């Protein structure tokens, strides 16, 4: 696991070789769908995988490869595969583990897209699944069946910031011979390195903190070399969800400042969570950096810092949550997260509007829940903005 000093150097340099032909320092955007071969023999060798090289961007591209190498270095994995979006990373990684007749155990508190893919799409492919609450690793163990081929989870979870014991879930998977896939989007490899705790595969929405500026979509899967090679050959090529070279380049550029941006995101978030916790119109704040959060101690052990995502419940329920969202002036009413700009979402009327109320409440998404992605603005301005929106 790289220490802070090594992480910073890897974030800037890993995977990037500039352009040896021209001397360009920055990794070029290889905006080309196809690559030429010097001979029929060379083309056949590259096609067959006997010789390294590029032939078609859906199969691989030098700019995309640079992103993959940087992420493998930062997560401490053997290899990585970049994808068009975070959901392409999640679906590709899962499809690389399961087939008809298999069973998946997944955490109930997940990003909505991942939850929907596992709940609705996997059964159509003949894969059964069981969702488990965020309370105890023992519940995951109880849900395991002889045909379980995957344990899937995220921590901190979206949008209720539940914390799961990464090492304990990884140990469960190892003891039963079941791969674990963990979504590390909220924490990024700067704050949390699941592979070092025994997880088999890490997935990311690179659209968020890795890109960091809200201007490119992407995803990354990091894991064992053979698994990544098989995913590329047997899943991603055929499903086709590859990232564009330009987006890969934007995300490469974003990652070079991850270690500079992230501490500011986190420091701002801690101050805002403390402000909200003391506010009379706020029922509850979900932020692992608060001592009252049930996962505070565990998060302190497995994370370098508590991240910059939080949610809070406004007193007064559904309408009160919407009023706070309407009242903000600096926070942008926008989905997504990990942007330089602070973002606000009322979950019950937006991201979770399609989830039946009972199911939504069981996931911890209460009527008045508001999710914040804390950006890089002056924290005093953000606190003032939330204060006036809550007072309105
Ligand atoms: C935790 C998490 N994982 C994955 C995704 C999906 O990423 P993308 O929108 O890039 O497909 C999101 C999107 O919000 C997310 O919050």
């Amino acid at each position: 696991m790289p220490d802070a000093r090594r992480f910073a150097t890897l974030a800037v340099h890993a995977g990037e070789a500039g352009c040896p032909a021209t001397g360009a320092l920055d990794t070029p955007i290889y905006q080309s769908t196809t690559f030429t071969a010097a001979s029929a023999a060379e083309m056949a060798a590259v096609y067959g995988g006997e010789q390294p090289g590029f032939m078609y961007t859906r199969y691989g591209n030098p700019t995309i490869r640079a992103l993959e190498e940087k992420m493998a270095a930062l997560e401490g994995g053997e290899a990585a595969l970049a994808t068009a979006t975070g959901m392409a990373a999640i679906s590709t990684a899962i499809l690389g583990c399961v087939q008809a007749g298999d069973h998946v155990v997944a955490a109930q508190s997940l990003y909505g897209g991942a939850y929907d893919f596992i709940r609705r799409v996997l059964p159509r492919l003949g894969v059964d699944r069981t969702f488990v609450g965020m309370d105890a690793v023992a519940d995951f163990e109880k849900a395991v069946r002889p045909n379980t081929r995957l344990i899937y989870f995220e921590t901190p979870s979206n949008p209720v910031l539940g914390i799961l014991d990464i090492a304990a879930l990884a140990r469960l998977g190892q003891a039963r011979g079941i791969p674990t896939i963990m979504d590390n989007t909220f924490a990024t490899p700067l704050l949390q390195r699941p592979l070092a705790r025994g997880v088999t595969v890490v997935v990311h929405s690179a659209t968020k903190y890795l890109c960091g500026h809200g201007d490119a979509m992407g995803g990354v899967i990091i894991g064992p070399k053979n698994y990544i090679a098989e995913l590329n050959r047997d899943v991603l090529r055929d499903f086709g969800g590859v990232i564009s070279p330009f987006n890969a380049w934007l995300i490469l550029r974003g990652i070079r400042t991850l270690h500079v941006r992230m501490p500011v995101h986190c420091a701002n978030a801690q101050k805002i969570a403390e402000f909200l916790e003391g506010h009379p119109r706020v029922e509850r704040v979900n932020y692992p950096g608060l001592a009252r959060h049930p996962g505070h101690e565990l998060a302190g052990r497995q994370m370098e810092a508590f991240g910059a995502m939080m949610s809070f419940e406004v007193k007064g329920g559904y309408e009160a949550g919407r009023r706070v969202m309407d009242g903000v002036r600096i926070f942008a009413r926008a989905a997504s997260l990990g942007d330089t700009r602070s973002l606000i979402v009322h979950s019950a009327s937006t991201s979770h509007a399609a989830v039946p109320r009972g199911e939504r409440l069981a996931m911890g998404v209460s009527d008045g829940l508001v999710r914040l992605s804390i950006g890089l603005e002056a924290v005093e301005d953000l606190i003032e903005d939330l204060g006036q929106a809550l007072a309105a």
Side-chain angles (χ1 to χ4, degrees), residues 108-194:
Q108 189 178 35
S109 182
L110 288 181
Y111 165 62
Y115 179 78
D116 199 47
F117 179 79
I118 295 169
R119 186 182 66 87
R120 198 176 52 81
V121 179
L122 286 186
R124 286 171 49 196
L125 306 177
V127 177
D128 201 0
R129 73 284 183 260
T130 304
F131 288 100
V132 179
M134 296 289 279
D135 308 323
V137 171
D139 294 340
F140 282 78
E141 190 158 15
K142 269 186 239 146
V144 168
R145 301 181 192 162
N147 62 336
T148 302
R149 294 287 174 270
L150 173 63
I151 297 172
Y152 183 92
F153 65 105
E154 66 187 41
T155 178
S157 73
N158 188 357
V160 294
L161 283 294
I163 303 293
L164 278 167
D165 189 331
I166 300 173
L169 283 172
R171 272 197 305 275
L172 168 64
Q174 283 166 2
R176 305 292 286 265
I178 304 166
T180 39
I181 298 182
M182 192 194 124
D183 184 333
N184 201 24
T185 299
F186 270 29
T188 82
L190 181 71
L191 305 187
Q192 187 168 262
R193 260 146 277 160

Side-chain angles (χ1 to χ4, degrees), residues 84-88 90 111 114 152 154 156 158 183 185-186 204-208 217-219 336-337 371:
T85 63
M87 274 314 299
I90 291 166
Y111 165 62
Y152 183 92
E154 66 187 41
N158 188 357
D183 184 333
T185 299
F186 270 29
H204 278 279
S205 168
T207 313
K208 318 298 182 189
M217 300 205 74
S336 201
L337 58 109
R371 192 191 76 173

Side-chain angles (χ1 to χ4, degrees), residues 87-290:
M87 274 314 299
I90 291 166
S91 55
T92 300
I94 292 176
L95 291 174
C97 293
V98 297
Q99 56 187 19
D102 290 348
H103 172 249
V104 173
V105 176
Q108 189 178 35
S109 182
L110 288 181
Y111 165 62
Y115 179 78
D116 199 47
F117 179 79
I118 295 169
R119 186 182 66 87
R120 198 176 52 81
V121 179
L122 286 186
R124 286 171 49 196
L125 306 177
V127 177
D128 201 0
R129 73 284 183 260
T130 304
F131 288 100
V132 179
M134 296 289 279
D135 308 323
V137 171
D139 294 340
F140 282 78
E141 190 158 15
K142 269 186 239 146
V144 168
R145 301 181 192 162
N147 62 336
T148 302
R149 294 287 174 270
L150 173 63
I151 297 172
Y152 183 92
F153 65 105
E154 66 187 41
T155 178
S157 73
N158 188 357
V160 294
L161 283 294
I163 303 293
L164 278 167
D165 189 331
I166 300 173
L169 283 172
R171 272 197 305 275
L172 168 64
Q174 283 166 2
R176 305 292 286 265
I178 304 166
T180 39
I181 298 182
M182 192 194 124
D183 184 333
N184 201 24
T185 299
F186 270 29
T188 82
L190 181 71
L191 305 187
Q192 187 168 262
R193 260 146 277 160
L195 298 179
R197 296 190 182 276
V199 163
T200 322
V201 175
V202 167
V203 289
H204 278 279
S205 168
T207 313
K208 318 298 182 189
Y209 293 104
L210 299 177
C211 172
H213 297 75
D215 49 17
M217 300 205 74
V220 192
I221 307 161
I222 307 103
K225 208 170 166 187
N226 288 346
Y227 165 79
I228 293 292
E230 276 172 30
L231 273 191
N232 189 4
R233 197 184 54 232
D234 300 337
V235 187
L236 189 65
R237 262 178 215 191
D238 293 343
F239 280 81
V242 298
I243 189 169
S244 79
F246 182 56
N247 281 5
W249 181 83
L250 282 170
I251 293 166
L252 270 175
R253 187 172 68 163
I255 298 171
R256 288 205 291 268
T257 57
L258 180 67
H259 57 292
V260 183
R261 289 182 280 113
M262 220 49 205
V264 181
H265 279 293
C266 295
N268 280 359
Q270 182 72 36
K271 287 190 184 134
I272 289 168
E274 286 166 12
F275 163 75
L276 290 172
E277 192 179 36
H279 198 285
R281 295 214 167 147
V282 172
E283 188 76 50
R284 181 170 45 93
V285 182
N286 302 318
Y287 181 65
L290 295 175

Side-chain angles (χ1 to χ4, degrees), residues 294-314:
H296 175 66
E297 217 179 290
L298 175 58
R301 271 186 273 130
Q302 63 189 23
M303 301 179 79
E304 300 290 327
F306 298 106
M309 293 301 299
M310 71 182 69
S311 52
F312 65 100
E313 197 175 328
V314 187

